[in-house]
């Protein structure tokens, strides 16, 4: 297996943009859904929930499992929000419940189609997209990991919802990528997004401290 930097299109956003329009579109909808949900946390609005539901259905039509990544992010934010406030946010729980229910019918339809339809069943049996050994992820995202680990610690200490949600997404996606299923690496779609969310604040803080220490003049 060659380095994943050269071929793992699912994980690297620049590969999406350069090669596969449908993955680019899905990644854009994922990013839009994340920002919409963050806006909903600050200014609850049922139009945000409607927008998320539409995004979920459109993503499912293109890639049936991709929106689970957004679900992980939203679920992580919900748990951290309840932990931070020490109470359950029932309106947010209702919104997430509705989004989950809306996704179920199309997900079940896709699963039945891929397993029962003769043509799609053959395609599905040949559609092996396995995740390489963990050491490849270790080196493929090597520049991220030091800053990501510090970002995770920072998220837990400060109970930072945004960083915490990104942490749940990244950790859960890597875990799902090693489930005993044929489409393992599909769960790594756009994983550089949560890794960048976790790493960027730490990198900026590190750069600021480095600049103060070696300031010239």
């Amino acid at each position: 297996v060659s380095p994943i930097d050269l071929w793992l299109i699912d994980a690297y956003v620049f590969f999406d943009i350069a090669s596969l329009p449908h993955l680019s579109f899905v990644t854009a909808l994922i990013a839009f859904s994340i920002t919409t949900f963050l806006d909903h946390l600050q200014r609850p609005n049922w139009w945000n929930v409607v927008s998320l539901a539409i995004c979920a259905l459109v993503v499912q039509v293109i890639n049936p499992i991709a929106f689970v990544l957004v679900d992980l992010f939203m679920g992580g934010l919900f748990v951290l929000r309840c932990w931070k406030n020490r109470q359950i946010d029932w309106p947010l729980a209702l919104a997430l419940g509705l989004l989950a229910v809306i996704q179920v019918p199309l997900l079940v339809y896709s699963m039945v189609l891929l397993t029962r339809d003769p043509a799609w069943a053959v395609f599905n049996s040949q559609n092996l997209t396995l995740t390489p050994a963990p050491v490849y992820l270790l080196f493929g995202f090597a520049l991220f990991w030091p800053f990501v680990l510090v970002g995770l610690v920072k998220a837990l200490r400060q109970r930072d919802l945004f960083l915490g949600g990104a942490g749940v997404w990244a950790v859960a996606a890597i875990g799902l990528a090693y489930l005993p299923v044929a489409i393992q690496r599909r769960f790594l779609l756009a994983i550089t997004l949560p890794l960048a969310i976790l790493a960027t604040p730490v990198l900026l803080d590190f750069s600021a401290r480095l600049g103060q220490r070696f300031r010239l003049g």
Side-chain angles (χ1 to χ4, degrees), residues 27 30-31 34 66 68-77 152 162-176 186-195 197-198:
T27 302
I30 287 175
I34 288 171
V68 71
L69 303 173
V70 181
D71 293 330
L72 292 171
F73 180 84
M74 296 189 298
L77 277 176
L152 285 172
F162 187 40
L163 294 181
V168 171
W169 174 0
V171 172
I174 292 174
L176 291 172
R186 298 304 184 197
F187 293 106
L188 295 177
L189 177 65
I191 196 171
T192 46
L193 289 182
L195 294 181
I197 290 170
L198 288 164

PDB file of all heavy atoms in Angstrom, residues 27 30-31 34 66 68-77 152 162-176 186-195 197-198:
ATOM      1  N   THR A  27     -19.007  17.104   0.579  1.00  0.00           N
ATOM      2  CA  THR A  27     -18.170  17.771   1.570  1.00  0.00           C
ATOM      3  C   THR A  27     -18.666  19.195   1.831  1.00  0.00           C
ATOM      4  O   THR A  27     -18.682  19.656   2.975  1.00  0.00           O
ATOM      5  CB  THR A  27     -16.709  17.801   1.103  1.00  0.00           C
ATOM      6  OG1 THR A  27     -16.255  16.457   0.883  1.00  0.00           O
ATOM      7  CG2 THR A  27     -15.813  18.457   2.140  1.00  0.00           C
ATOM      8  N   ILE A  30     -21.671  18.982   3.989  1.00  0.00           N
ATOM      9  CA  ILE A  30     -21.269  18.654   5.362  1.00  0.00           C
ATOM     10  C   ILE A  30     -20.794  19.915   6.084  1.00  0.00           C
ATOM     11  O   ILE A  30     -21.185  20.179   7.229  1.00  0.00           O
ATOM     12  CB  ILE A  30     -20.174  17.573   5.353  1.00  0.00           C
ATOM     13  CG1 ILE A  30     -20.775  16.213   4.965  1.00  0.00           C
ATOM     14  CG2 ILE A  30     -19.490  17.478   6.713  1.00  0.00           C
ATOM     15  CD1 ILE A  30     -19.745  15.119   4.805  1.00  0.00           C
ATOM     16  N   ALA A  31     -19.944  20.690   5.415  1.00  0.00           N
ATOM     17  CA  ALA A  31     -19.445  21.929   6.018  1.00  0.00           C
ATOM     18  C   ALA A  31     -20.589  22.908   6.279  1.00  0.00           C
ATOM     19  O   ALA A  31     -20.650  23.550   7.337  1.00  0.00           O
ATOM     20  CB  ALA A  31     -18.390  22.554   5.114  1.00  0.00           C
ATOM     21  N   ILE A  34     -22.589  21.777   9.320  1.00  0.00           N
ATOM     22  CA  ILE A  34     -21.897  22.055  10.583  1.00  0.00           C
ATOM     23  C   ILE A  34     -22.099  23.515  10.986  1.00  0.00           C
ATOM     24  O   ILE A  34     -22.429  23.817  12.142  1.00  0.00           O
ATOM     25  CB  ILE A  34     -20.405  21.717  10.450  1.00  0.00           C
ATOM     26  CG1 ILE A  34     -20.214  20.202  10.393  1.00  0.00           C
ATOM     27  CG2 ILE A  34     -19.607  22.289  11.627  1.00  0.00           C
ATOM     28  CD1 ILE A  34     -18.800  19.790  10.059  1.00  0.00           C
ATOM     29  N   ALA A  66     -22.773   9.184   4.357  1.00  0.00           N
ATOM     30  CA  ALA A  66     -21.899  10.331   4.625  1.00  0.00           C
ATOM     31  C   ALA A  66     -22.433  11.240   5.722  1.00  0.00           C
ATOM     32  O   ALA A  66     -21.659  11.799   6.507  1.00  0.00           O
ATOM     33  CB  ALA A  66     -21.671  11.132   3.343  1.00  0.00           C
ATOM     34  N   VAL A  68     -23.796  10.596   8.398  1.00  0.00           N
ATOM     35  CA  VAL A  68     -23.542  10.099   9.751  1.00  0.00           C
ATOM     36  C   VAL A  68     -22.399  10.872  10.399  1.00  0.00           C
ATOM     37  O   VAL A  68     -22.340  10.995  11.628  1.00  0.00           O
ATOM     38  CB  VAL A  68     -23.239   8.586   9.735  1.00  0.00           C
ATOM     39  CG1 VAL A  68     -21.872   8.312   9.128  1.00  0.00           C
ATOM     40  CG2 VAL A  68     -23.297   8.000  11.154  1.00  0.00           C
ATOM     41  N   LEU A  69     -21.490  11.412   9.590  1.00  0.00           N
ATOM     42  CA  LEU A  69     -20.385  12.209  10.117  1.00  0.00           C
ATOM     43  C   LEU A  69     -20.906  13.489  10.760  1.00  0.00           C
ATOM     44  O   LEU A  69     -20.439  13.901  11.827  1.00  0.00           O
ATOM     45  CB  LEU A  69     -19.393  12.532   8.992  1.00  0.00           C
ATOM     46  CG  LEU A  69     -18.819  11.321   8.260  1.00  0.00           C
ATOM     47  CD1 LEU A  69     -17.992  11.761   7.064  1.00  0.00           C
ATOM     48  CD2 LEU A  69     -17.992  10.459   9.207  1.00  0.00           C
ATOM     49  N   VAL A  70     -21.888  14.131  10.105  1.00  0.00           N
ATOM     50  CA  VAL A  70     -22.521  15.311  10.697  1.00  0.00           C
ATOM     51  C   VAL A  70     -23.300  14.922  11.946  1.00  0.00           C
ATOM     52  O   VAL A  70     -23.311  15.644  12.951  1.00  0.00           O
ATOM     53  CB  VAL A  70     -23.444  15.993   9.674  1.00  0.00           C
ATOM     54  CG1 VAL A  70     -24.096  17.235  10.282  1.00  0.00           C
ATOM     55  CG2 VAL A  70     -22.675  16.371   8.423  1.00  0.00           C
ATOM     56  N   ASP A  71     -23.962  13.761  11.897  1.00  0.00           N
ATOM     57  CA  ASP A  71     -24.692  13.281  13.067  1.00  0.00           C
ATOM     58  C   ASP A  71     -23.756  13.102  14.266  1.00  0.00           C
ATOM     59  O   ASP A  71     -24.114  13.425  15.407  1.00  0.00           O
ATOM     60  CB  ASP A  71     -25.383  11.952  12.755  1.00  0.00           C
ATOM     61  CG  ASP A  71     -26.498  12.109  11.723  1.00  0.00           C
ATOM     62  OD1 ASP A  71     -27.110  13.201  11.681  1.00  0.00           O
ATOM     63  OD2 ASP A  71     -26.753  11.155  10.976  1.00  0.00           O
ATOM     64  N   LEU A  72     -22.557  12.581  14.010  1.00  0.00           N
ATOM     65  CA  LEU A  72     -21.577  12.412  15.077  1.00  0.00           C
ATOM     66  C   LEU A  72     -21.181  13.760  15.667  1.00  0.00           C
ATOM     67  O   LEU A  72     -21.087  13.927  16.890  1.00  0.00           O
ATOM     68  CB  LEU A  72     -20.339  11.689  14.546  1.00  0.00           C
ATOM     69  CG  LEU A  72     -20.502  10.229  14.155  1.00  0.00           C
ATOM     70  CD1 LEU A  72     -19.248   9.727  13.443  1.00  0.00           C
ATOM     71  CD2 LEU A  72     -20.795   9.370  15.381  1.00  0.00           C
ATOM     72  N   PHE A  73     -20.950  14.740  14.787  1.00  0.00           N
ATOM     73  CA  PHE A  73     -20.577  16.082  15.231  1.00  0.00           C
ATOM     74  C   PHE A  73     -21.695  16.691  16.075  1.00  0.00           C
ATOM     75  O   PHE A  73     -21.452  17.224  17.174  1.00  0.00           O
ATOM     76  CB  PHE A  73     -20.282  16.952  14.010  1.00  0.00           C
ATOM     77  CG  PHE A  73     -19.875  18.359  14.343  1.00  0.00           C
ATOM     78  CD1 PHE A  73     -18.563  18.660  14.661  1.00  0.00           C
ATOM     79  CD2 PHE A  73     -20.812  19.388  14.322  1.00  0.00           C
ATOM     80  CE1 PHE A  73     -18.179  19.959  14.962  1.00  0.00           C
ATOM     81  CE2 PHE A  73     -20.440  20.690  14.618  1.00  0.00           C
ATOM     82  CZ  PHE A  73     -19.119  20.973  14.942  1.00  0.00           C
ATOM     83  N   MET A  74     -22.927  16.618  15.588  1.00  0.00           N
ATOM     84  CA  MET A  74     -24.047  17.200  16.315  1.00  0.00           C
ATOM     85  C   MET A  74     -24.298  16.464  17.631  1.00  0.00           C
ATOM     86  O   MET A  74     -24.576  17.097  18.660  1.00  0.00           O
ATOM     87  CB  MET A  74     -25.304  17.188  15.443  1.00  0.00           C
ATOM     88  CG  MET A  74     -25.195  18.056  14.189  1.00  0.00           C
ATOM     89  SD  MET A  74     -26.771  18.252  13.282  1.00  0.00           S
ATOM     90  CE  MET A  74     -27.124  16.540  12.836  1.00  0.00           C
ATOM     91  N   GLY A  75     -24.193  15.141  17.601  1.00  0.00           N
ATOM     92  CA  GLY A  75     -24.376  14.374  18.822  1.00  0.00           C
ATOM     93  C   GLY A  75     -23.315  14.697  19.861  1.00  0.00           C
ATOM     94  O   GLY A  75     -23.616  14.822  21.054  1.00  0.00           O
ATOM     95  N   GLY A  76     -22.079  14.847  19.400  1.00  0.00           N
ATOM     96  CA  GLY A  76     -20.995  15.210  20.315  1.00  0.00           C
ATOM     97  C   GLY A  76     -21.220  16.571  20.945  1.00  0.00           C
ATOM     98  O   GLY A  76     -21.033  16.757  22.154  1.00  0.00           O
ATOM     99  N   LEU A  77     -21.655  17.540  20.133  1.00  0.00           N
ATOM    100  CA  LEU A  77     -21.945  18.873  20.648  1.00  0.00           C
ATOM    101  C   LEU A  77     -23.095  18.835  21.659  1.00  0.00           C
ATOM    102  O   LEU A  77     -23.059  19.528  22.685  1.00  0.00           O
ATOM    103  CB  LEU A  77     -22.304  19.816  19.501  1.00  0.00           C
ATOM    104  CG  LEU A  77     -21.136  20.445  18.741  1.00  0.00           C
ATOM    105  CD1 LEU A  77     -21.644  21.272  17.571  1.00  0.00           C
ATOM    106  CD2 LEU A  77     -20.307  21.316  19.644  1.00  0.00           C
ATOM    107  N   LEU A 152      -7.664  18.228  21.710  1.00  0.00           N
ATOM    108  CA  LEU A 152      -8.602  17.381  22.443  1.00  0.00           C
ATOM    109  C   LEU A 152      -8.533  17.661  23.939  1.00  0.00           C
ATOM    110  O   LEU A 152      -9.566  17.762  24.617  1.00  0.00           O
ATOM    111  CB  LEU A 152      -8.296  15.905  22.165  1.00  0.00           C
ATOM    112  CG  LEU A 152      -8.717  15.367  20.798  1.00  0.00           C
ATOM    113  CD1 LEU A 152      -8.176  13.958  20.600  1.00  0.00           C
ATOM    114  CD2 LEU A 152     -10.233  15.367  20.661  1.00  0.00           C
ATOM    115  N   PHE A 162     -17.303  23.475  20.278  1.00  0.00           N
ATOM    116  CA  PHE A 162     -16.889  23.340  18.882  1.00  0.00           C
ATOM    117  C   PHE A 162     -15.752  22.337  18.750  1.00  0.00           C
ATOM    118  O   PHE A 162     -15.803  21.407  17.933  1.00  0.00           O
ATOM    119  CB  PHE A 162     -16.466  24.706  18.358  1.00  0.00           C
ATOM    120  CG  PHE A 162     -16.171  24.722  16.876  1.00  0.00           C
ATOM    121  CD1 PHE A 162     -16.950  24.018  15.982  1.00  0.00           C
ATOM    122  CD2 PHE A 162     -15.118  25.465  16.386  1.00  0.00           C
ATOM    123  CE1 PHE A 162     -16.684  24.041  14.623  1.00  0.00           C
ATOM    124  CE2 PHE A 162     -14.835  25.505  15.033  1.00  0.00           C
ATOM    125  CZ  PHE A 162     -15.627  24.789  14.150  1.00  0.00           C
ATOM    126  N   LEU A 163     -14.713  22.488  19.573  1.00  0.00           N
ATOM    127  CA  LEU A 163     -13.586  21.554  19.533  1.00  0.00           C
ATOM    128  C   LEU A 163     -14.030  20.159  19.966  1.00  0.00           C
ATOM    129  O   LEU A 163     -13.584  19.152  19.407  1.00  0.00           O
ATOM    130  CB  LEU A 163     -12.455  22.049  20.433  1.00  0.00           C
ATOM    131  CG  LEU A 163     -11.743  23.345  20.026  1.00  0.00           C
ATOM    132  CD1 LEU A 163     -10.639  23.678  21.009  1.00  0.00           C
ATOM    133  CD2 LEU A 163     -11.180  23.239  18.617  1.00  0.00           C
ATOM    134  N   GLY A 164     -14.906  20.100  20.956  1.00  0.00           N
ATOM    135  CA  GLY A 164     -15.383  18.798  21.422  1.00  0.00           C
ATOM    136  C   GLY A 164     -16.156  18.051  20.358  1.00  0.00           C
ATOM    137  O   GLY A 164     -15.988  16.837  20.170  1.00  0.00           O
ATOM    138  N   GLY A 165     -17.023  18.770  19.635  1.00  0.00           N
ATOM    139  CA  GLY A 165     -17.768  18.131  18.552  1.00  0.00           C
ATOM    140  C   GLY A 165     -16.850  17.613  17.464  1.00  0.00           C
ATOM    141  O   GLY A 165     -17.048  16.509  16.939  1.00  0.00           O
ATOM    142  N   ALA A 166     -15.834  18.407  17.126  1.00  0.00           N
ATOM    143  CA  ALA A 166     -14.860  17.954  16.134  1.00  0.00           C
ATOM    144  C   ALA A 166     -14.099  16.740  16.626  1.00  0.00           C
ATOM    145  O   ALA A 166     -13.798  15.814  15.855  1.00  0.00           O
ATOM    146  CB  ALA A 166     -13.882  19.093  15.812  1.00  0.00           C
ATOM    147  N   GLY A 167     -13.795  16.713  17.929  1.00  0.00           N
ATOM    148  CA  GLY A 167     -13.095  15.560  18.504  1.00  0.00           C
ATOM    149  C   GLY A 167     -13.931  14.294  18.433  1.00  0.00           C
ATOM    150  O   GLY A 167     -13.419  13.216  18.090  1.00  0.00           O
ATOM    151  N   VAL A 168     -15.218  14.414  18.752  1.00  0.00           N
ATOM    152  CA  VAL A 168     -16.115  13.248  18.656  1.00  0.00           C
ATOM    153  C   VAL A 168     -16.188  12.751  17.218  1.00  0.00           C
ATOM    154  O   VAL A 168     -16.131  11.540  16.958  1.00  0.00           O
ATOM    155  CB  VAL A 168     -17.522  13.613  19.176  1.00  0.00           C
ATOM    156  CG1 VAL A 168     -18.509  12.488  18.881  1.00  0.00           C
ATOM    157  CG2 VAL A 168     -17.478  13.899  20.672  1.00  0.00           C
ATOM    158  N   TRP A 169     -16.305  13.667  16.275  1.00  0.00           N
ATOM    159  CA  TRP A 169     -16.350  13.304  14.853  1.00  0.00           C
ATOM    160  C   TRP A 169     -15.087  12.551  14.463  1.00  0.00           C
ATOM    161  O   TRP A 169     -15.157  11.459  13.873  1.00  0.00           O
ATOM    162  CB  TRP A 169     -16.524  14.569  14.027  1.00  0.00           C
ATOM    163  CG  TRP A 169     -16.454  14.394  12.529  1.00  0.00           C
ATOM    164  CD1 TRP A 169     -16.252  13.237  11.828  1.00  0.00           C
ATOM    165  CD2 TRP A 169     -16.586  15.429  11.546  1.00  0.00           C
ATOM    166  NE1 TRP A 169     -16.240  13.489  10.474  1.00  0.00           N
ATOM    167  CE2 TRP A 169     -16.444  14.817  10.275  1.00  0.00           C
ATOM    168  CE3 TRP A 169     -16.803  16.802  11.618  1.00  0.00           C
ATOM    169  CZ2 TRP A 169     -16.513  15.554   9.090  1.00  0.00           C
ATOM    170  CZ3 TRP A 169     -16.878  17.535  10.435  1.00  0.00           C
ATOM    171  CH2 TRP A 169     -16.734  16.918   9.189  1.00  0.00           C
ATOM    172  N   ALA A 170     -13.924  13.101  14.782  1.00  0.00           N
ATOM    173  CA  ALA A 170     -12.662  12.484  14.360  1.00  0.00           C
ATOM    174  C   ALA A 170     -12.469  11.103  14.989  1.00  0.00           C
ATOM    175  O   ALA A 170     -12.150  10.130  14.293  1.00  0.00           O
ATOM    176  CB  ALA A 170     -11.494  13.403  14.729  1.00  0.00           C
ATOM    177  N   VAL A 171     -12.663  11.009  16.299  1.00  0.00           N
ATOM    178  CA  VAL A 171     -12.445   9.737  16.998  1.00  0.00           C
ATOM    179  C   VAL A 171     -13.447   8.686  16.529  1.00  0.00           C
ATOM    180  O   VAL A 171     -13.080   7.527  16.254  1.00  0.00           O
ATOM    181  CB  VAL A 171     -12.541   9.941  18.524  1.00  0.00           C
ATOM    182  CG1 VAL A 171     -12.502   8.599  19.247  1.00  0.00           C
ATOM    183  CG2 VAL A 171     -11.404  10.834  19.016  1.00  0.00           C
ATOM    184  N   ALA A 172     -14.724   9.075  16.428  1.00  0.00           N
ATOM    185  CA  ALA A 172     -15.749   8.115  16.009  1.00  0.00           C
ATOM    186  C   ALA A 172     -15.545   7.678  14.565  1.00  0.00           C
ATOM    187  O   ALA A 172     -15.740   6.497  14.233  1.00  0.00           O
ATOM    188  CB  ALA A 172     -17.135   8.725  16.190  1.00  0.00           C
ATOM    189  N   ALA A 173     -15.154   8.612  13.682  1.00  0.00           N
ATOM    190  CA  ALA A 173     -14.946   8.261  12.270  1.00  0.00           C
ATOM    191  C   ALA A 173     -13.818   7.251  12.123  1.00  0.00           C
ATOM    192  O   ALA A 173     -13.920   6.294  11.339  1.00  0.00           O
ATOM    193  CB  ALA A 173     -14.647   9.514  11.466  1.00  0.00           C
ATOM    194  N   ILE A 174     -12.729   7.447  12.873  1.00  0.00           N
ATOM    195  CA  ILE A 174     -11.621   6.485  12.810  1.00  0.00           C
ATOM    196  C   ILE A 174     -12.059   5.139  13.350  1.00  0.00           C
ATOM    197  O   ILE A 174     -11.698   4.078  12.809  1.00  0.00           O
ATOM    198  CB  ILE A 174     -10.408   7.042  13.576  1.00  0.00           C
ATOM    199  CG1 ILE A 174      -9.834   8.259  12.851  1.00  0.00           C
ATOM    200  CG2 ILE A 174      -9.329   5.966  13.736  1.00  0.00           C
ATOM    201  CD1 ILE A 174      -8.730   8.965  13.602  1.00  0.00           C
ATOM    202  N   GLY A 175     -12.853   5.152  14.409  1.00  0.00           N
ATOM    203  CA  GLY A 175     -13.377   3.887  14.933  1.00  0.00           C
ATOM    204  C   GLY A 175     -14.266   3.179  13.928  1.00  0.00           C
ATOM    205  O   GLY A 175     -14.138   1.966  13.713  1.00  0.00           O
ATOM    206  N   LEU A 176     -15.172   3.926  13.276  1.00  0.00           N
ATOM    207  CA  LEU A 176     -16.054   3.336  12.270  1.00  0.00           C
ATOM    208  C   LEU A 176     -15.265   2.818  11.076  1.00  0.00           C
ATOM    209  O   LEU A 176     -15.679   1.854  10.418  1.00  0.00           O
ATOM    210  CB  LEU A 176     -17.074   4.377  11.804  1.00  0.00           C
ATOM    211  CG  LEU A 176     -18.145   4.796  12.815  1.00  0.00           C
ATOM    212  CD1 LEU A 176     -18.955   5.964  12.280  1.00  0.00           C
ATOM    213  CD2 LEU A 176     -19.057   3.624  13.150  1.00  0.00           C
ATOM    214  N   ARG A 186     -14.870   4.807   3.716  1.00  0.00           N
ATOM    215  CA  ARG A 186     -15.866   5.832   3.410  1.00  0.00           C
ATOM    216  C   ARG A 186     -16.158   6.694   4.636  1.00  0.00           C
ATOM    217  O   ARG A 186     -16.568   7.848   4.507  1.00  0.00           O
ATOM    218  CB  ARG A 186     -17.159   5.206   2.900  1.00  0.00           C
ATOM    219  CG  ARG A 186     -17.021   4.413   1.607  1.00  0.00           C
ATOM    220  CD  ARG A 186     -16.426   5.233   0.491  1.00  0.00           C
ATOM    221  NE  ARG A 186     -16.386   4.506  -0.782  1.00  0.00           N
ATOM    222  CZ  ARG A 186     -15.654   4.845  -1.811  1.00  0.00           C
ATOM    223  NH1 ARG A 186     -14.879   5.911  -1.733  1.00  0.00           N
ATOM    224  NH2 ARG A 186     -15.661   4.136  -2.920  1.00  0.00           N
ATOM    225  N   PHE A 187     -15.957   6.130   5.827  1.00  0.00           N
ATOM    226  CA  PHE A 187     -16.209   6.898   7.050  1.00  0.00           C
ATOM    227  C   PHE A 187     -15.122   7.938   7.307  1.00  0.00           C
ATOM    228  O   PHE A 187     -15.277   8.779   8.192  1.00  0.00           O
ATOM    229  CB  PHE A 187     -16.313   5.949   8.244  1.00  0.00           C
ATOM    230  CG  PHE A 187     -17.519   5.057   8.205  1.00  0.00           C
ATOM    231  CD1 PHE A 187     -17.396   3.706   7.905  1.00  0.00           C
ATOM    232  CD2 PHE A 187     -18.780   5.569   8.442  1.00  0.00           C
ATOM    233  CE1 PHE A 187     -18.510   2.877   7.862  1.00  0.00           C
ATOM    234  CE2 PHE A 187     -19.908   4.750   8.399  1.00  0.00           C
ATOM    235  CZ  PHE A 187     -19.776   3.408   8.108  1.00  0.00           C
ATOM    236  N   LEU A 188     -14.033   7.882   6.556  1.00  0.00           N
ATOM    237  CA  LEU A 188     -12.970   8.875   6.693  1.00  0.00           C
ATOM    238  C   LEU A 188     -13.203  10.087   5.795  1.00  0.00           C
ATOM    239  O   LEU A 188     -12.334  10.957   5.699  1.00  0.00           O
ATOM    240  CB  LEU A 188     -11.612   8.249   6.345  1.00  0.00           C
ATOM    241  CG  LEU A 188     -11.130   7.137   7.273  1.00  0.00           C
ATOM    242  CD1 LEU A 188      -9.808   6.565   6.765  1.00  0.00           C
ATOM    243  CD2 LEU A 188     -10.967   7.641   8.707  1.00  0.00           C
ATOM    244  N   LEU A 189     -14.358  10.159   5.159  1.00  0.00           N
ATOM    245  CA  LEU A 189     -14.650  11.267   4.254  1.00  0.00           C
ATOM    246  C   LEU A 189     -14.449  12.607   4.972  1.00  0.00           C
ATOM    247  O   LEU A 189     -15.021  12.858   6.032  1.00  0.00           O
ATOM    248  CB  LEU A 189     -16.087  11.164   3.745  1.00  0.00           C
ATOM    249  CG  LEU A 189     -16.558  12.293   2.834  1.00  0.00           C
ATOM    250  CD1 LEU A 189     -15.775  12.296   1.532  1.00  0.00           C
ATOM    251  CD2 LEU A 189     -18.046  12.187   2.555  1.00  0.00           C
ATOM    252  N   ALA A 190     -13.606  13.448   4.385  1.00  0.00           N
ATOM    253  CA  ALA A 190     -13.355  14.814   4.884  1.00  0.00           C
ATOM    254  C   ALA A 190     -12.882  14.845   6.330  1.00  0.00           C
ATOM    255  O   ALA A 190     -13.127  15.823   7.044  1.00  0.00           O
ATOM    256  CB  ALA A 190     -14.617  15.661   4.722  1.00  0.00           C
ATOM    257  N   ILE A 191     -12.190  13.804   6.773  1.00  0.00           N
ATOM    258  CA  ILE A 191     -11.744  13.789   8.164  1.00  0.00           C
ATOM    259  C   ILE A 191     -10.713  14.888   8.439  1.00  0.00           C
ATOM    260  O   ILE A 191     -10.473  15.267   9.593  1.00  0.00           O
ATOM    261  CB  ILE A 191     -11.164  12.410   8.548  1.00  0.00           C
ATOM    262  CG1 ILE A 191     -11.078  12.301  10.075  1.00  0.00           C
ATOM    263  CG2 ILE A 191      -9.804  12.184   7.892  1.00  0.00           C
ATOM    264  CD1 ILE A 191     -10.726  10.938  10.583  1.00  0.00           C
ATOM    265  N   THR A 192     -10.105  15.423   7.381  1.00  0.00           N
ATOM    266  CA  THR A 192      -9.192  16.545   7.598  1.00  0.00           C
ATOM    267  C   THR A 192      -9.927  17.788   8.117  1.00  0.00           C
ATOM    268  O   THR A 192      -9.288  18.679   8.674  1.00  0.00           O
ATOM    269  CB  THR A 192      -8.432  16.885   6.308  1.00  0.00           C
ATOM    270  OG1 THR A 192      -9.348  16.914   5.208  1.00  0.00           O
ATOM    271  CG2 THR A 192      -7.350  15.861   6.018  1.00  0.00           C
ATOM    272  N   LEU A 193     -11.252  17.860   7.942  1.00  0.00           N
ATOM    273  CA  LEU A 193     -12.007  18.984   8.493  1.00  0.00           C
ATOM    274  C   LEU A 193     -11.981  18.990  10.025  1.00  0.00           C
ATOM    275  O   LEU A 193     -11.582  19.987  10.631  1.00  0.00           O
ATOM    276  CB  LEU A 193     -13.445  18.972   7.970  1.00  0.00           C
ATOM    277  CG  LEU A 193     -13.656  19.334   6.502  1.00  0.00           C
ATOM    278  CD1 LEU A 193     -15.147  19.315   6.168  1.00  0.00           C
ATOM    279  CD2 LEU A 193     -13.090  20.712   6.201  1.00  0.00           C
ATOM    280  N   PRO A 194     -12.419  17.908  10.703  1.00  0.00           N
ATOM    281  CA  PRO A 194     -12.349  17.938  12.170  1.00  0.00           C
ATOM    282  C   PRO A 194     -10.920  17.992  12.693  1.00  0.00           C
ATOM    283  O   PRO A 194     -10.661  18.618  13.727  1.00  0.00           O
ATOM    284  CB  PRO A 194     -13.056  16.647  12.591  1.00  0.00           C
ATOM    285  CG  PRO A 194     -12.944  15.741  11.426  1.00  0.00           C
ATOM    286  CD  PRO A 194     -13.045  16.654  10.234  1.00  0.00           C
ATOM    287  N   LEU A 195      -9.988  17.357  11.981  1.00  0.00           N
ATOM    288  CA  LEU A 195      -8.590  17.434  12.410  1.00  0.00           C
ATOM    289  C   LEU A 195      -8.093  18.877  12.339  1.00  0.00           C
ATOM    290  O   LEU A 195      -7.375  19.347  13.230  1.00  0.00           O
ATOM    291  CB  LEU A 195      -7.720  16.524  11.543  1.00  0.00           C
ATOM    292  CG  LEU A 195      -7.967  15.015  11.658  1.00  0.00           C
ATOM    293  CD1 LEU A 195      -6.999  14.244  10.761  1.00  0.00           C
ATOM    294  CD2 LEU A 195      -7.850  14.532  13.099  1.00  0.00           C
ATOM    295  N   ILE A 197      -9.996  21.586  12.501  1.00  0.00           N
ATOM    296  CA  ILE A 197     -10.703  22.351  13.536  1.00  0.00           C
ATOM    297  C   ILE A 197      -9.991  22.211  14.879  1.00  0.00           C
ATOM    298  O   ILE A 197      -9.820  23.190  15.621  1.00  0.00           O
ATOM    299  CB  ILE A 197     -12.163  21.870  13.645  1.00  0.00           C
ATOM    300  CG1 ILE A 197     -12.953  22.283  12.399  1.00  0.00           C
ATOM    301  CG2 ILE A 197     -12.832  22.440  14.898  1.00  0.00           C
ATOM    302  CD1 ILE A 197     -14.329  21.660  12.310  1.00  0.00           C
ATOM    303  N   LEU A 198      -9.549  20.996  15.199  1.00  0.00           N
ATOM    304  CA  LEU A 198      -8.850  20.759  16.461  1.00  0.00           C
ATOM    305  C   LEU A 198      -7.444  21.345  16.460  1.00  0.00           C
ATOM    306  O   LEU A 198      -6.979  21.868  17.473  1.00  0.00           O
ATOM    307  CB  LEU A 198      -8.774  19.257  16.735  1.00  0.00           C
ATOM    308  CG  LEU A 198     -10.078  18.568  17.146  1.00  0.00           C
ATOM    309  CD1 LEU A 198      -9.950  17.059  17.012  1.00  0.00           C
ATOM    310  CD2 LEU A 198     -10.447  18.942  18.575  1.00  0.00           C
TER     311      LEU A 198
END
